[in-house]
Amino acid sequence: MRRMRWTWAPLGGTVLLLLLFSQAFSAPPQCQLGVPAIKLGVQGVASGPHADYGRQIQMGATMAIEEINAKGGILGCRLEMRFMDDENRPATGVRNARLLVTEYGAHFLYGTDSSGVAMALGPVLKELNRIQFFTHAATHRLTEELVAQQGIKQIVRVSAPVYQDAIAAWVFKDNPAIRRWATIGADYEYGYAVWGLFRETLRKFRPDVEFVGAAWAPFLTTDFTPHISAVMAQNPDAIIATPWAGEAVTLLRQAVLMGVFDKIQVWFQAMGGSVDVLEGIAREVQDGRFKGKLWATARYIHNWPNTQTNRAFVERFQKRWSRLPNYSAETTYSAIYITKAAVEKARSLETDKVLAALRGMQIVTPAGLRVFREEDHQFVYTVPAGRVVWSERYNMPVLGDLRIFDPKDYWRWPPFTPIPMGK
Amino acid sequence: MMNTVLYQGLVGISLAMYLWLISAGLTIIFGVLGVLNFAHGSLFMLGAYIAYTLYGMVGLPFGAAVLLSLAVVGAVGFAMERFFLRPLYHVDEAYQLLLTFGFVLVLDDAVKILWGGVFKIPPIPAFLDGAWRVFGRPFPVYNVFLITVGLLVGVVLWFLFERTWWGRIVRATASDREMAAALGVHVPRVFSSVFVFGAMLAALGGALGTPVRVVAPGIGSAMIIQAFIITVIGGLGNLKGAFVGSLIVGVLSAYGTLFFPVFELFFIFVIMAVVLLVRPQGLFGATR
């Protein structure tokens, strides 16, 4: 019996060694940051007419996390995410941020669609000392005032701010036939900022233009006919509109019914290049009811830039979600890769060290090269504006007839001077 | 200028008629049952989703989809009243408010689960597409349709409540439910029928909105605020008040957007505040 045990001993030892070796080669690498996982707190609108943006934020974040985890995480640390609906309400956004940091233990925060929510979050991020990568909220005040002036360093914006919406001034400044502009604006921070910046920019090029009318629609407006009618009473040549998501779709469809496109020369729907808006007006575009007069931009469009990085991203996104990526998906996806690059450089999750690692960062993302601007923690990149046209390739409308400008020209640069804002 | 003013007034009337459809149901339920139904906006939303499903997805004619959505939401309203509200009639009104608020949360989440969080866009029916030239500008056929339906609903409601046996019973119950019961009126049955009727009016508003409005979770929230303002201005529980209140809010909203775009929202709340100060029971409300 004793002899037999000795006979099996070398074999058992060999098996044990093999097992140990296999563990060493197949186990996930140890997290070098000393945490069980890097926790990402994400929030956006997940209900109401703007819900697709929160959903796209969630889809973009999920895809980035899956890709990064499949390749071993960040410095061997797995990524985890918790998503919350901010309901487009500042109070909910603030409550979510506190919960995500204090209860969930989020190391970084992402998302936020509304400028109003973003402005409320700024001081809270300072108190919590957590970096939030903003991936949609667009008011220039978030970065110009809260970061550059007030020094809330925890704010980093990956998406293009309202400078992008004011690209309309650059697209149409050389058209002498368009002199009378009006707005149908979102009745909050974002709408006021776009109208203020657009007017300021256009006045520089065209002292002859007139701003003839403005109508303001609050969130959850379902009947825009009084706004359209009030603005059309001023006989504008062109309209710049800032309601977004489902409200943009409602506005555009009601404008078609009111015969607006028979009368004006251009309608610029600021974030009309967003996938949900393009899907929403697909029938009207296909039937030619905008008469080629509808223009738009976005904070990223899936059909530009024509790079391998972008094409591969769009393909993976479509495969994963059976939808095209909206800008809030791309910006959140890119924000997580920016986090990865910064944390790998800093080899730390500490706010100051990660912020230091962001300095001078230039990173290739699906939207193109993003460059970190240190003065206001804004990533700078290019997004075109274009005419809304039907695409046989995508079987839905896209932005075509693209107009591309250098951000050096149409973005605002420090030192920042206040933009006259308000209704 | 005159044409602009008249045109904007017409736009205001079409907005008013839409608001009237929603506030009518709210005020009828309050007038008879004494319940301030927070879930009225959710029933409006449910009506929109069901009409969208039947018309936009199943492919039924728009009219049939609207009628079926009324039936479905009426059934939901019946279940709400019969099984949840009825046991609470004898306790403090605050419990009824809490219950209807609970329904707001349940129904909002239910539509998210059933239809998803992304908004839906049905096509506009061919007979509502296009515009007529009115006061020198194109006025959408859809808005003409809304004005017609709103006025028609007003006439039908007047006829039902003033000229039918059921209307007399409902008015008697609203006036004094104990006396009505003593005279042999089956009060619980009247309550059920009125709640179902109010729910169907909410659904009618939701369903008729689908051709030009997106359908999304939470769309009832904005409508219910406006409906409350209207019922407060007109007098809680007063149908004539709801009609006049709708006209005031709709037309003044439209003129506010044209002449005072900076104060348009503020304008409506100021009117409500003035009415509450001068006549707390509302323009047509009786002192309770």
Side-chain angles (χ1 to χ4, degrees), chain A residues 75 340-348 356-361:
Chain A
L75 297 174
K340 179 176 185 290
V343 169
E344 283 173 350
K345 187 177 171 192
R347 304 192 70 77
S348 168
L358 285 172
R359 276 183 211 130
M361 183 182 282

Side-chain angles (χ1 to χ4, degrees), chain A residues 48-49 51 226 229 253 283 289 423, chain B residues 8 117 121-122 129 137 217 262:
Chain A
S229 163
R253 296 181 81 197
R283 281 185 216 100
R289 300 192 70 173
K423 289 188 177 183
Chain B
Q8 194 73 2
I121 314 117
D129 204 349
R137 288 165 67 183
V262 177

Side-chain angles (χ1 to χ4, degrees), chain A residues 36-85:
Chain A
I38 298 176
K39 294 185 174 182
L40 314 182
V42 186
Q43 59 173 324
V45 194
S47 49
H50 304 87
D52 199 35
Y53 292 75
R55 175 79 185 123
Q56 289 266 357
I57 283 176
Q58 195 177 10
M59 291 193 288
T62 303
M63 203 170 101
I65 290 167
E66 285 173 356
E67 287 176 9
I68 292 170
N69 281 344
K71 290 180 181 167
I74 299 176
L75 297 174
C77 312
R78 277 189 63 256
L79 299 182
E80 278 179 9
M81 174 183 78
R82 182 161 171 193
F83 177 84
M84 295 184 83
D85 179 5

Side-chain angles (χ1 to χ4, degrees), chain A residues 145-167:
Chain A
E145 281 182 27
L146 297 191
V147 182
Q149 285 173 24
Q150 296 179 28
I152 304 179
K153 61 187 180 185
Q154 292 82 358
I155 294 169
V156 175
R157 179 156 46 198
V158 177
S159 53
V162 285
Y163 314 150
Q164 189 60 42
D165 309 74
I167 199 172

Side-chain angles (χ1 to χ4, degrees), chain B residues 11-173:
Chain B
V11 165
I13 290 170
S14 95
L15 176 61
M17 288 303 107
Y18 191 63
L19 294 172
W20 152 244
L21 295 178
I22 301 144
S23 52
L26 186 72
T27 210
I28 288 170
I29 290 172
F30 183 82
V32 179
L33 279 72
V35 173
L36 199 54
N37 183 17
F38 273 130
H40 199 68
S42 302
L43 295 170
F44 160 90
M45 174 187 68
L46 201 58
Y49 267 106
I50 292 165
Y52 157 75
T53 306
L54 296 173
Y55 164 65
M57 292 171 72
V58 177
L60 290 184
F62 181 66
V66 171
L67 290 176
L68 279 171
S69 78
L70 301 196
V72 174
V73 175
V76 172
F78 175 77
M80 274 173 71
E81 196 280 336
R82 177 66 187 82
F83 302 110
F84 297 93
L85 266 174
R86 196 176 287 184
L88 297 184
Y89 287 141
H90 305 294
V91 295
D92 193 87
E93 284 172 3
Y95 290 95
Q96 299 162 16
L97 279 180
L98 279 175
L99 179 77
T100 58
F101 183 69
F103 270 110
V104 173
L105 304 177
V106 170
L107 289 174
D108 268 14
D109 278 348
V111 297
K112 267 194 230 174
I113 292 165
L114 288 172
W115 285 279
V118 179
F119 60 79
K120 312 289 181 194
I121 314 117
I124 185 159
F127 77 99
L128 293 177
D129 204 349
W132 292 347
R133 206 142 188 92
V134 182
F135 302 124
R137 288 165 67 183
F139 190 74
V141 174
Y142 171 78
N143 292 51
V144 176
F145 173 73
L146 267 190
I147 293 173
T148 312
V149 172
L151 292 174
L152 209 62
V153 165
V155 171
V156 168
L157 287 180
W158 171 82
F159 183 80
L160 265 178
F161 285 102
E162 300 293 330
R163 291 284 182 270
T164 66
W165 179 247
W166 181 74
R168 277 185 210 123
I169 288 175
V170 168
R171 280 189 290 134
T173 311

